[in-house]
Amino acid sequence: MNFFQVILGHFFSVILPDGAPEKLGAGDEAGSEEDLYEDLRSSGHRFGHPGGAGEQLAINELISDGSVVYAEALWDHVTMDDQELGFKAGDVIEVVDATNKEWWWGRILDSEGWFPASFVRLRVNQDEPMEEYLAQLEEAQEENSAGMALLLGPGLPCKEQMRTNVINEIMSTERDYIKHLKDICEGYIKQCRKRMDMFTEEQLCTIFGNIEDIYRFQKKFLKCLEKKFNKDEPHLSEIGCCFLEHQTDFQIYSEYCNNHPNACVQLSKLMKLNKYVFFFEACRLLQKMIDISLDGFLLTPVQKICKYPLQLAELLKYTNPQHRDYKDVEAALNGMKNVARLINERKRRLENVDKIAQWQSSIEDWEGEDILSRSSDLIYSGELTKISPPQGKSQQRMFFLFNHQMVYCKKDLLRRDILYYKGRVDMDQMEVLDVEDGKDKELNVSVKNALKLRSPSGDEVHLLCAKKPEQKQRWLRAFRDEREQVQHDRETGFSITEVQKKQAMLNACKSHPAGKPKAVNRPYYDFLLRQKHPTLPTSLPQQQVFMLAEPKRKSSNFWHNIGRLTPFKK
């Protein structure tokens, strides 16, 4: 028995599609054993590469024929390497060379360089005029409609043709996407469930997340699009209402995007074993799926939810304000941007849960419930002077304002990187008061740059002083942000599950074994606060946040060169 027969005997007896014969004959569509094994062997393991070769070949043929090929940036590409091409989301790049799957050579104005192929998509309208040309056409239309007809040639007017192209692309990509989801659910998940000796249900939930729910939803969404699609005159289609009708349903992607990093880790572990490599490849071949590895298929929902605002922005661009679909498309664009923001915010919050747990585990003498029992976001932190009744004693403390509560700690006298827990304030039971400079009547002490936290009953009062007026104002703004965050969470229904909280605290305890001194890492605070208000592009939000599609960067000598500069050495 040869190697391929062993593989077939181990997998294919179970992986055969429903209704298929138990053995593959020489005349079957799958081909001979030698052909199929050659497919398995030659395809290799493309783990981490999301694209196939068909599109790449077509691009290179167009370039070699002298055609100019444009791509539109989906994400920002920031680089320190002078051989790489930097750009922002929405930039248009001329593709000069696409022979490499991972890195393409492109041009923007006078700049040329390598850029990640997964950061762009081919422009829908390759023959689309540049903005200057469109301006010229508009002028020509105003001056002489006959001249305009000569410029455009026969057929639809330019803008209507562009709208037709965008509508057709939306419909085409949506149908392709349904096919991808079907292939995952029927080609992979269905077969994996037949091999419970290889997969536990927990593993399958981690790898595939809620993609079956997404598949069911997308089928309904596609039906809605098909009803509104005008096959004879696509530019007259009114599809904006479909996005508005299902706007809240798109939030289902939040769970998938949050789980995707865990899916990558789990899949990476399995792919270290050859039996899983060949199993997944066998699933792909039997389902007759395109040449994309499983991790590439699992990435498509993440890319899809990022792509909707791009497509709608392009559709709005080529929709006349008088068009019946204009207002719905405009509202749909704003709606999908909000969905992307919500998904992005939830993703950030869930990622910060581990950081907050690690922060708590670094605090000495912690008392009471875990910070995660009520909070999931660090709003602000800094040093304040706490004036305590009744004697008006002043104490320097580090304050950490989370949603729902504020924790204050004392710095170690010798090791300033160690903090000791001293107490917390329930922000749900406090009102924040701006205190004027001068003598405080309640505590009979003179204060400057002060603010006060007071419970409604007045039995709990905290008087806090900042060093500078601008620091006081920053704290007052932070307290307002905290209340807004709590209200926003109520409205959107955001919460951290008990399982996520327990897992985060368990991971944090492992990283800080008992008996060892615990030092507070300042980067924890900096990281959390930087994440609070990430810089997002105004036109196409969120694309750069989902960096799950980013390929491994090729090595750069930038940091090596920095390290050689002696003035920067400690």
Side-chain angles (χ1 to χ4, degrees), residues 1 8 23 39 67 94 109 148 190 223 263 273 287 294 301 340 389 396 403 418 463 512 521 535 564:
M1 182 178 288
L8 280 183
K23 293 184 179 180
D39 286 340
S67 300
E94 180 185 346
L109 299 177
M148 180 68 170
K190 194 173 182 180
K223 284 182 180 178
L273 301 176
Q287 186 69 14
L294 176 56
Q396 285 293 114
N403 55 320
I418 295 180
L463 183 61
H512 289 286
N521 240 334
T535 303
R564 292 169 59 190

Side-chain angles (χ1 to χ4, degrees), residues 345-384:
E345 175 65 9
R346 289 184 174 182
K347 184 174 184 295
R348 181 190 67 80
R349 295 277 292 278
L350 286 173
E351 287 173 346
N352 285 349
V353 166
D354 284 333
K355 297 291 182 182
I356 293 173
Q358 290 175 25
W359 171 83
Q360 180 187 315
S361 69
S362 69
I363 305 297
E364 295 286 351
D365 302 336
W366 185 271
E367 295 179 9
E369 62 184 7
D370 292 332
I371 194 76
L372 290 176
S373 63
R374 297 185 61 207
S375 304
S376 60
D377 210 6
L378 176 64
I379 310 296
Y380 193 62
S381 68
E383 273 192 284
L384 292 170

Side-chain angles (χ1 to χ4, degrees), residues 67-98:
S67 300
V68 180
V69 177
Y70 291 106
E72 184 175 3
L74 296 172
W75 290 276
D76 292 353
H77 181 227
V78 182
T79 177
M80 298 279 191
D81 193 328
D82 56 5
Q83 290 192 355
E84 292 183 24
L85 183 67
F87 48 74
K88 293 183 178 180
D91 284 353
V92 176
I93 304 137
E94 180 185 346
V95 181
V96 179
D97 183 4

Side-chain angles (χ1 to χ4, degrees), residues 231-418:
K231 295 179 182 179
D232 299 325
E233 297 178 286
H235 66 282
L236 296 178
S237 301
E238 299 175 28
I239 65 172
C241 60
C242 297
F243 288 90
L244 293 177
E245 183 182 336
H246 294 90
Q247 183 177 330
T248 55
D249 297 328
F250 279 105
Q251 294 180 19
I252 195 174
Y253 279 85
S254 179
E255 180 183 339
Y256 187 86
C257 293
N258 292 334
N259 176 71
H260 189 269
N262 298 329
C264 292
V265 172
Q266 182 66 249
L267 192 57
S268 180
K269 289 178 181 178
L270 296 182
M271 284 299 195
K272 291 177 182 178
L273 301 176
N274 283 336
K275 69 175 184 177
Y276 289 101
V277 174
F278 284 106
F279 177 86
F280 288 130
E281 184 68 352
C283 289
R284 185 186 74 80
L285 291 173
L286 287 168
Q287 186 69 14
K288 298 178 184 177
M289 298 157 71
I290 61 174
D291 187 13
I292 295 179
S293 53
L294 176 56
D295 61 310
F297 276 108
L298 295 178
L299 182 62
T300 50
V302 180
Q303 293 174 321
K304 188 65 178 176
I305 199 65
C306 294
K307 194 174 181 180
Y308 280 126
L310 283 171
Q311 290 179 320
L312 288 169
E314 200 163 18
L315 181 60
L316 185 66
K317 180 179 178 181
Y318 298 115
T319 302
N320 286 317
Q322 295 78 24
H323 197 291
R324 291 174 58 182
D325 200 26
Y326 184 86
K327 290 185 178 179
D328 280 350
V329 171
E330 188 176 40
L333 174 58
N334 292 328
M336 292 309 294
K337 283 181 179 180
N338 289 334
V339 168
R341 286 192 193 99
L342 178 62
I343 292 173
N344 172 61
E345 175 65 9
R346 289 184 174 182
K347 184 174 184 295
R348 181 190 67 80
R349 295 277 292 278
L350 286 173
E351 287 173 346
N352 285 349
V353 166
D354 284 333
K355 297 291 182 182
I356 293 173
Q358 290 175 25
W359 171 83
Q360 180 187 315
S361 69
S362 69
I363 305 297
E364 295 286 351
D365 302 336
W366 185 271
E367 295 179 9
E369 62 184 7
D370 292 332
I371 194 76
L372 290 176
S373 63
R374 297 185 61 207
S375 304
S376 60
D377 210 6
L378 176 64
I379 310 296
Y380 193 62
S381 68
E383 273 192 284
L384 292 170
T385 300
K386 184 177 184 293
I387 301 177
S388 305
Q391 293 87 6
K393 182 181 178 182
S394 297
Q395 298 171 315
Q396 285 293 114
R397 295 288 183 257
M398 275 295 300
F399 284 82
F400 301 90
L401 178 61
F402 297 87
N403 55 320
H404 297 291
Q405 59 186 316
M406 183 166 66
V407 175
Y408 53 96
C409 304
K410 175 185 176 182
K411 286 186 176 181
D412 187 270
L413 292 175
L414 298 177
R415 289 193 58 183
R416 305 297 283 176
D417 58 342
I418 295 180

Side-chain angles (χ1 to χ4, degrees), residues 14-16 187-195 279 283:
V14 182
I15 306 176
L16 286 173
Y188 286 107
I189 300 178
K190 194 173 182 180
Q191 303 299 347
C192 288
R193 285 189 175 134
K194 294 178 181 179
R195 292 305 307 266
F279 177 86
C283 289

